[in-house]
Amino acid sequence: MKLPMRHSSSKSEQYCVISAPFGRLGIATDMVDGSLMISRVDYLPADKALSAPQNALAKELARQCKLYFKNPAHQFDVPLKPRGTIYQQQVWHCIRDIPSGKTRTYGVLAGDIRSGARAVGGACGANPYPIITPCHRVVSSAGLGGFMKEDSPGLYRQIKIWLLKHEGAL
């Protein structure tokens, strides 16, 4: 099974693992210019050991995740560590505008920003905050499409299906 790539972590990064209906979520927080921010969120298999959040921000994101699991219309509101290229940030901004229960195709999203569908897919796969920046709402014109750089059935595809069903888009 392919697990998420671990990005280089700073000395101030803290990581916890919380339960999710589809498995586990890893939450990394880090200090950025004196402010605590979410540095990434990882989708993990159900057998990954749980570890409690150790700071207020991780606890807050865990609380908001629980709210989302109860109500898919929940809007996340946590500070995110600036990441990605200007292009990736542009794609992620457009993804955050897709409402819960709705999807957009890679091609439509690409047309909105005058880009290509494959480039949009690449930016989706590089998304460090997948539950907060809901790239699962971006689908192929021929069906579900890939997810988290996974184009075949596996953990990430099952998570995408769960999320889309949870939001009423499937």
Side-chain angles (χ1 to χ4, degrees):
M1 172 184 305
K2 182 174 78 171
L3 290 177
M5 289 178 39
R6 294 294 307 230
H7 301 281
S8 59
S9 61
S10 71
K11 291 180 183 180
S12 65
E13 184 178 86
Q14 291 186 348
Y15 194 77
C16 66
V17 177
I18 64 169
S19 183
F22 47 75
R24 304 279 194 250
L25 283 173
I27 299 171
T29 58
D30 201 358
M31 291 298 289
V32 178
D33 297 328
S35 295
L36 193 59
M37 297 185 171
I38 302 296
S39 57
R40 76 177 183 282
V41 176
D42 298 322
Y43 290 128
L44 303 168
D47 61 356
K48 181 74 172 170
L50 296 172
S51 60
Q54 298 299 308
N55 62 55
L57 181 56
K59 289 175 185 175
E60 175 58 18
L61 181 54
R63 185 188 73 78
Q64 288 190 32
C65 286
K66 287 179 184 174
L67 291 173
Y68 168 77
F69 297 141
K70 289 180 182 175
N71 174 9
H74 173 74
Q75 297 280 324
F76 288 92
D77 184 21
V78 290
L80 303 176
K81 181 178 181 178
R83 302 279 298 264
T85 66
I86 291 170
Y87 175 78
Q88 289 170 334
Q89 291 175 23
Q90 182 183 20
V91 172
W92 300 337
H93 177 77
C94 290
I95 291 169
R96 283 192 292 273
D97 290 340
I98 303 170
S100 179
K102 303 291 182 189
T103 61
R104 294 183 67 195
T105 66
Y106 296 98
V108 167
L109 194 59
D112 290 347
I113 60 173
R114 297 184 178 98
S115 180
R118 286 185 185 266
V120 167
C124 288
N127 175 8
Y129 316 108
I131 200 159
I132 299 166
T133 301
C135 54
H136 59 273
R137 296 178 188 158
V138 183
V139 298
S140 166
S141 60
L144 194 59
F147 190 53
M148 305 300 301
K149 299 182 181 177
E150 182 178 84
D151 291 327
S152 58
L155 174 68
Y156 300 128
R157 181 75 60 90
Q158 291 306 312
I159 292 171
K160 182 173 187 170
I161 291 168
W162 188 94
L163 293 166
L164 290 172
K165 284 182 178 178
H166 175 61
E167 294 180 356
L170 267 185

